[in-house]
């Protein structure tokens, strides 16, 4: 692996622009729970295991209509966790490379934990499934999205036995109706895409400017379960005929021409760091 790391280090040092794709595997290395498969999800949420509710069922906007206290118990608990846990050192290794090599860069992630933004990304990011750090109105009143930190909620009080939210539920500042996270859920026809579209626009402009150069795509922990990030990276790789590293300890298979590193995101970044 060291020999390969040396070679990959050279690819990174020689690229003109870096496109980072990140799936659940990137977050898991910070110590955040793995929701892939019922077992992992129910281990993280015993009250939902008792009720037999799977992740795909819970991540559905209907709960905000049918049982808002449970819906906010689930998302409030996750919000507390994302706030409490620090992004792992891998995020900061990437920031160091970008600064040191003066690399134009963009992140495309399906993670809703806001950890790239916590680690210093501001505009060079597309959160394709939205973010738990942002809210939207359930009533689609035209308010648009707003930041969770602008609302009164610094922390949610959640009953560990029932997963019911005890804190007053977040409401829309414009119409006073119930608010929900600005996350793309399953069977979600009311996701407010305004923030996402602004991010899309910035990504398109970035790709027009940097796609034709010596672009490098690094994809971290983007598996086959919900393949949004994986598909995006593969499409970009095909479109720009560039170099790509897939870093994935489980779903590491690649098309001919893509480099595969069968390791976790943090391990890989730490391993590569000495060659940058
Ligand atoms: Zn509203």
């Amino acid at each position: 692996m060291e020999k390969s790391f040396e070679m990959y280090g050279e690819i990174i040092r020689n690229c003109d622009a870096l496109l980072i794709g990140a799936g659940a595997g990137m977050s898991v290395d910070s110590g955040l729970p793995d929701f892939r498969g019922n077992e992992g999800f129910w281990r993280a949420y015993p009250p939902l295991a008792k009720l037999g509710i799977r992740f795909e069922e819970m991540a559905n906007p209907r709960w905000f209509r049918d049982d808002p206290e449970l819906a906010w118990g689930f998302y409030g608990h996750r919000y507390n966790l994302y706030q409490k846990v620090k992004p792992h050192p891998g995020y900061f290794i990437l920031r160091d490379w970008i600064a040191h090599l003066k690399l134009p860069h963009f992140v495309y992630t399906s993670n809703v934990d806001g950890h790239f933004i916590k680690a210093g990304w501001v505009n060079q990011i597309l959160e394709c499934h939205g973010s738990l750090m942002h809210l939207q109105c359930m009533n689609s009143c035209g308010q648009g999205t707003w930041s969770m930190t602008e609302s009164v909620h610094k922390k949610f009080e959640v009953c560990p036995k029932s997963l019911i939210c005890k804190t007053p539920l977040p409401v829309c500042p414009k119409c006073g109706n119930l608010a929900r996270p600005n996350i793309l859920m399953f069977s979600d026809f009311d996701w407010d895409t305004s923030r996402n579209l602004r991010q899309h626009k910035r990504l398109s402009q970035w790709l027009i400017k940097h796609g034709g150069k010596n672009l490098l795509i690094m994809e971290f922990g983007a598996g086959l379960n919900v393949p949004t990030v994986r598909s995006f990276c593969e499409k970009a790789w095909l479109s720009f005929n560039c170099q790509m590293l897939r870093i994935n300890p489980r779903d590491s298979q690649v098309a001919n021409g893509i480099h595969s590193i069968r390791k976790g995101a943090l391990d890989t970044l730490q391993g590569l760091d000495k060659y940058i």
Side-chain angles (χ1 to χ4, degrees):
M1 193 47 97
E2 279 308 309
K3 194 95 197 112
S4 316
F5 275 173
E6 199 177 341
M7 182 184 87
Y8 299 140
E10 200 178 329
I11 293 174
I12 295 164
R13 285 197 316 275
N14 290 332
C15 78
D16 293 327
L18 178 63
L19 181 59
I20 298 161
M26 185 74 175
S27 296
V28 164
D29 283 354
S30 297
L32 289 170
D34 188 352
F35 292 161
R36 295 166 293 189
N38 287 337
E39 209 181 288
F41 178 62
W42 282 342
R43 206 179 308 123
Y45 290 99
L48 296 180
K50 224 182 277 173
L51 295 168
I53 303 174
R54 293 176 295 118
F55 174 68
E56 291 79 3
E57 290 168 325
M58 196 60 227
N60 186 308
R62 78 172 181 87
W63 291 103
F64 287 91
R65 290 187 293 270
D66 298 348
D67 192 344
E69 280 80 16
L70 179 65
W72 266 116
F74 174 56
Y75 283 101
H77 179 273
R78 282 174 69 185
Y79 175 77
N80 292 347
L81 193 65
Y82 296 163
Q83 287 290 76
K84 198 174 82 183
V85 170
K86 288 194 179 90
H88 62 71
Y91 290 87
F92 301 98
I93 291 174
L94 281 168
R95 297 259 4 138
D96 283 348
W97 295 354
I98 285 161
H100 171 63
L101 300 169
K102 296 188 175 57
L103 271 182
H105 58 100
F106 211 102
V107 170
Y108 184 102
T109 184
S110 57
N111 299 334
V112 298
D113 51 33
H115 275 196
F116 275 98
I117 289 173
K118 227 179 181 179
W121 275 266
V122 183
N123 286 326
Q124 308 305 98
I125 181 165
L126 190 157
E127 293 158 303
C128 62
H129 292 166
S131 169
L132 186 43
M133 303 297 125
H134 293 264
L135 296 168
Q136 68 173 79
C137 177
M138 278 292 287
N139 203 26
S140 307
C141 71
Q143 155 67 25
T145 65
W146 68 98
S147 163
M148 184 82 96
T149 51
E150 285 166 27
S151 83
V152 291
H153 291 81
K154 301 281 177 248
K155 196 170 186 267
F156 289 86
E157 198 192 321
V158 178
C159 170
K161 280 199 179 125
S162 63
L163 207 64
I164 291 295
C165 183
K166 305 280 190 194
T167 314
L169 304 184
V171 291
C172 170
K174 190 175 176 190
C175 72
N177 265 289
L178 183 69
R180 54 161 269 192
N182 183 226
I183 290 179
L184 174 62
M185 302 179 197
F186 292 93
S187 308
D188 193 351
F189 302 104
D190 298 315
W191 185 44
D192 184 326
T193 55
S194 54
R195 182 169 176 270
N196 184 260
L197 289 174
R198 287 194 296 276
Q199 294 183 332
H200 258 287
K201 200 171 163 195
R202 285 196 288 269
L203 173 62
S204 302
Q205 286 164 346
W206 188 88
L207 286 173
I208 289 168
K209 195 167 173 197
H210 299 288
K213 295 179 188 167
N214 183 18
L215 178 70
L216 169 63
I217 301 171
M218 291 184 83
E219 179 202 276
F220 296 96
L224 292 161
N225 253 6
V226 184
T228 325
V229 173
R230 201 174 169 100
S231 307
F232 167 78
C233 289
E234 284 174 359
K235 269 187 210 149
W237 171 71
L238 278 174
S239 306
F240 298 111
N241 190 24
C242 59
Q243 299 259 33
M244 174 165 159
L245 305 181
R246 167 163 290 155
I247 295 112
N248 200 312
R250 300 202 294 197
D251 301 326
S252 58
Q253 52 280 48
V254 285
N256 222 344
I258 298 177
H259 303 281
S260 173
I261 304 177
R262 204 181 162 83
K263 276 169 103 69
L266 176 58
D267 277 353
T268 302
L269 286 162
Q270 285 173 330
L272 288 170
D273 196 33
K274 63 181 124 166
Y275 298 106
I276 307 297

